[in-house]
Every structure is written in structure tokens, then in C-alpha cells.
């Protein structure tokens, strides 16, 4: 897997900003794992989820990566908290919100990699491959396949609001 620095307006690879370094200004670098499943940006860092196989079983990890050069600032093994593949990740401006591939749970971690809490969703989430948090609207969106679920912030965490199907992609 790779980390690329792209122009947000054109999508073109940026190769003139010393990324990942002044001696290697190619605009991309290797991700910390070949098994990256999700990425979010928080406080100057890219946070990535991965599901790595080892001889002792699956290792679910959170990587904290410097957005300036793609180097790994820290790695957290979250296998003791998450028992299914970590997939979607987003943040609420303070904490990391991690989803799994087959459960109706959201796992919250602070920026030190410490487990904060799980939340069981009443809605039939069935895992989330993508997630986004809209802080201005206090709204969480998740996607799994073509299903988009919308959650609002309630007294006990996120409450289900609506369900819709993702629009079909142009040309396919």
C-alpha cells in the first residue's frame, strides 16, 4: 500500500513539496503495512487501520503516521479490544472511531492508542467499510456495500437516524 500526496483540486500527484523527503521528492511513500483497511486525518497525522496476519493469529493495528513525510510516529496493537477485522475509521475531532467488518459495534480510541469504549448499534450495521463524522452536524455516516446509514449524536452515543442506498457510480 502507498501514501500519496495529491492535489485536492485536480487529483494529480504532487512531486514538488519534499514529500516524503527532500532527497526523495516523488510525492508518495510506502504505507506502514500492506494490509491498510482505513485512513482518517486528525491533528496533523494520518491514522490507519490494518489487519495483519501472523503465526499467532490476526493483529489489528492502528498506525499514527506523520502527514508531512509519511513516517510512522507510533503503532498500537488493538487486537485485545477488536476481535473482527478493523475496516472503517473516522474521528470526531478528538477520538478515533473504528468499525469492524462484520459487527454492529464502533470502537473508540484516544490519540494515545488507548481503548475508550465500544458502542453497540441498534441498527443492523453489519460492519462498515467506510465512515465519516460531520462535526458541524454532529452526524456519523457509515457505508457497507451500497448501504449508507446516518447516525446522530444522542445521550448514549450515536442514535440511528436514516438509511439509504449509495448512488450508483457513473459508468458502472
Amino acid at each position: 500500500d502507498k501514501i500519496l500526496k495529491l492535489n485536492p483540486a485536480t487529483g494529480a500527484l504532487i512531486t514538488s513539496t519534499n514529500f516524503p523527503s527532500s532527497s526523495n521528492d516523488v510525492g508518495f511513500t510506502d504505507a506502514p503495512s500492506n494490509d491498510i483497511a482505513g485512513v482518517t486525518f486528525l491533528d496533523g497525522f494520518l491514522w490507519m487501520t490494518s489487519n495483519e496476519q501472523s503465526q499467532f493469529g490476526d493483529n489489528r493495528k492502528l498506525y499514527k503516521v506523520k502527514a508531512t513525510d509519511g513516517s510512522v510516529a507510533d503503532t498500537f496493537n488493538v487486537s485485545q479490544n477488536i476481535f473482527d477485522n478493523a475496516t472503517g475509521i473516522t474521528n470526531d475531532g478528538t477520538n478515533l472511531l473504528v468499525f469492524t467488518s462484520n459487527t454492529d459495534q464502533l470502537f473508540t480510541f484516544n490519540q494515545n492508542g488507548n481503548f475508550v469504549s465500544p458502542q453497540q448499534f441498534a441498527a443492523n450495521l453489519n460492519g462498515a467499510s467506510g465512515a465519516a463524522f460531520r462535526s458541524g452536524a454532529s452526524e456519523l455516516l457509515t457505508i457497507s456495500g451500497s448501504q449508507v446509514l446516518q447516525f446522530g449524536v444522542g445521550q448514549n452515543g450515536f442514535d440511528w437516524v436514516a438509511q439509504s442506498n449509495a448512488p450508483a457510480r457513473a459508468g458502472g
Side-chain angles (χ1 to χ4, degrees):
D1 293 348
K2 301 285 185 194
I3 302 171
L4 292 86
K5 187 165 188 177
L6 302 174
N7 180 316
T10 65
L13 186 64
I14 298 173
T15 59
S16 59
T17 60
N18 295 328
F19 184 84
S21 70
S22 58
S23 63
N24 185 22
D25 191 13
V26 294
F28 65 90
T29 188
D30 289 329
S33 168
N34 288 329
D35 298 305
I36 298 298
V39 179
T40 191
F41 179 81
L42 178 61
D43 292 340
F45 294 93
L46 296 171
W47 288 86
M48 301 179 180
T49 58
S50 74
N51 302 290
E52 301 170 12
Q53 305 294 316
S54 76
Q55 65 184 18
F56 304 108
D58 295 339
N59 286 315
R60 289 145 202 29
K61 293 183 180 178
L62 280 175
Y63 288 100
K64 182 179 183 181
V65 177
K66 294 180 184 177
T68 54
D69 64 8
S71 64
V72 176
D74 216 334
T75 304
F76 307 99
N77 188 327
V78 295
S79 298
Q80 67 276 14
N81 304 107
I82 299 176
F83 303 106
D84 192 11
N85 283 335
T87 53
I89 183 172
T90 190
N91 69 81
D92 63 6
T94 303
N95 292 311
L96 302 162
L97 311 175
V98 179
F99 292 86
T100 60
S101 60
N102 296 305
T103 66
D104 294 335
Q105 288 188 306
L106 161 73
F107 299 87
T108 303
F109 294 88
N110 66 23
Q111 293 182 55
N112 294 320
N114 296 318
F115 179 66
V116 175
S117 66
Q119 180 180 341
Q120 184 74 32
F121 282 88
N124 190 14
L125 188 61
N126 289 327
S129 56
F133 184 81
R134 296 179 56 207
S135 58
S138 295
E139 179 179 76
L140 175 69
L141 301 169
T142 66
I143 188 163
S144 181
S146 64
Q147 183 182 44
V148 178
L149 296 176
Q150 177 186 359
F151 299 89
V153 177
Q155 287 183 325
N156 298 317
F158 294 102
D159 297 323
W160 182 77
V161 176
Q163 174 182 333
S164 62
N165 288 322
R169 292 188 295 194

